[in-house]
Amino acid sequence: MDKNLIEIWLEEEKNAHIQGWDFSHINKRYEEENDLPWDYKNIIKQYLKPEYKLLDIDTGGGEFLLTLEHPFKNTSVTEAYPPNIEFCKKNLTPLGINVYEVDGADSLPFKDNEFDIIINKHGNFNINELFRILKTGGIFITQQVGAENDKELIELLLPKSKLSFPDLYLKNISKKFKQAGLKILQEQEAFCPIKFYDIGALVWYAHIIEWEFPNFSVNNCLENLFKAQEILEKQGVVEGKNHRDCEKISVNSIFYDENYLIIFLIY
């Protein structure tokens, strides 16, 4: 075994930590979401108006939120991961953005009919709470990660691993919204690659996305890391797939009959 590679991978393992949702450490060493058939940001911008009250559920560090350039006084966020909460309080609160420490799947500390638009990128959500706090005619837009995300990469490093979230399939999510009285307006699916150009970047990534790569470590997975290295040397890339679905839903409920819900589900 190449001891130099092992040392490089161990160093990546040591450095595998982030604040917010910052993947700049592996910029140009991996790529994903470059060929989605929709643009999450542009879709939000189509609906967002300066006077709207906006909520970003599970904001991470607010990195994506800030790219929307929405008036801070009309912006609120929720976040539950402790390091990100501190990051948000340090970086978002001074701007005038309201920061709330709560998981998106729980009861939310907001009044009924408070928000014009709610967004959620890869976070938890509570269907009942969404419609409680959305104004009549309000919009919910979310892009989600589902059951088979990074499946090929997980199987490469951790063979025979079970899916961490086996119920997160489009059909299951759609069923829940339909049961809530919602009408599906549009569904879209895409299979998009995720590519790694060095194995150190994959080591770092696997540690950051620890819920998908449970019990991964360099020492535990050395044999499979060298298999990945062989693939890289032969093909120039180690590649997996993200299975993405886009679904557009209209609310059709006696309680929320003028709301609209747009869901983008990523697998």
Side-chain angles (χ1 to χ4, degrees):
M1 290 186 176
D2 188 326
K3 292 183 178 180
N4 288 333
L5 282 176
I6 296 174
E7 289 178 3
I8 291 171
W9 298 339
L10 287 171
E11 186 66 19
E12 291 288 355
E13 186 170 65
K14 179 181 176 181
N15 292 325
H17 52 81
I18 57 174
Q19 284 188 316
W21 198 243
D22 180 8
F23 276 44
S24 59
H25 179 74
I26 56 174
N27 276 355
K28 299 182 179 180
R29 301 164 63 195
Y30 101 117
E31 59 179 305
E32 65 173 331
E33 292 192 7
N34 291 335
D35 51 0
L36 282 172
W38 61 82
D39 187 314
Y40 179 63
K41 179 179 177 179
N42 285 344
I43 291 166
I44 293 171
K45 296 287 277 188
Q46 290 173 18
Y47 293 95
L48 193 59
K49 298 179 181 179
E51 66 271 21
Y52 278 4
K53 291 194 67 176
L54 168 68
L55 172 64
D56 185 14
I57 294 177
D58 285 1
T59 191
E63 298 89 352
F64 173 78
L65 171 72
L66 292 176
T67 69
L68 298 175
E69 301 180 328
H70 192 63
F72 299 143
K73 66 179 182 179
N74 290 333
T75 303
S76 299
V77 303
T78 69
E79 179 56 44
Y81 183 51
N84 287 352
I85 293 166
E86 294 306 312
F87 188 83
C88 288
K89 288 180 177 178
K90 179 181 177 181
N91 294 280
L92 302 185
T93 299
L95 299 175
I97 295 173
N98 299 307
V99 177
Y100 296 87
E101 185 176 343
V102 62
D103 189 275
D106 295 336
S107 296
L108 301 176
F110 306 112
K111 298 182 295 184
D112 294 356
N113 308 310
E114 185 166 348
F115 294 99
D116 298 281
I117 183 165
I118 300 174
I119 62 173
N120 179 321
K121 187 177 183 182
H122 304 179
N124 291 328
F125 58 84
N126 180 320
I127 295 174
N128 293 329
E129 284 292 273
L130 289 173
F131 290 106
R132 181 184 67 80
I133 65 177
L134 268 175
K135 294 179 180 179
T136 299
I139 301 292
F140 174 54
I141 303 174
T142 182
Q143 179 171 288
Q144 289 290 322
V145 177
E148 295 190 23
N149 197 61
D150 297 331
K151 182 179 177 181
E152 293 84 359
L153 298 173
I154 296 166
E155 290 177 346
L156 175 61
L157 299 182
L158 297 163
K160 300 181 181 179
S161 293
K162 295 182 179 180
L163 296 175
S164 298
F165 303 98
D167 294 329
L168 293 185
Y169 285 95
L170 177 61
K171 63 180 181 180
N172 296 335
I173 302 299
S174 295
K175 182 179 179 180
K176 290 180 180 180
F177 282 106
K178 289 176 181 177
Q179 289 173 341
L182 310 179
K183 180 181 178 181
I184 308 295
L185 298 180
Q186 179 182 335
E187 291 184 331
Q188 189 173 3
E189 183 177 61
F191 294 86
C192 304
I194 176 170
K195 300 178 180 181
F196 288 84
Y197 300 106
D198 77 64
I199 303 306
L202 178 56
V203 168
W204 187 92
Y205 179 90
H207 271 286
I208 296 299
I209 314 295
E210 58 185 347
W211 51 92
E212 288 187 352
F213 297 83
N215 302 315
F216 170 80
S217 73
V218 171
N219 288 328
N220 288 344
C221 301
L222 265 182
E223 183 178 348
N224 292 324
L225 284 170
F226 276 105
K227 287 180 180 178
Q229 182 67 28
E230 289 178 9
I231 294 171
L232 180 68
E233 292 174 0
K234 290 179 180 179
Q235 302 180 6
V237 64
V238 173
E239 185 171 337
K241 286 199 296 289
N242 285 330
H243 175 191
R244 291 163 165 78
D245 295 284
C246 164
E247 183 177 14
K248 185 174 182 180
I249 301 176
S250 171
V251 176
N252 184 15
S253 162
I254 59 174
F255 300 108
Y256 313 106
D257 59 359
E258 293 185 25
N259 289 332
Y260 293 90
L261 173 66
I262 299 177
I263 300 180
F264 293 90
L265 294 173
I266 297 187
Y267 290 79

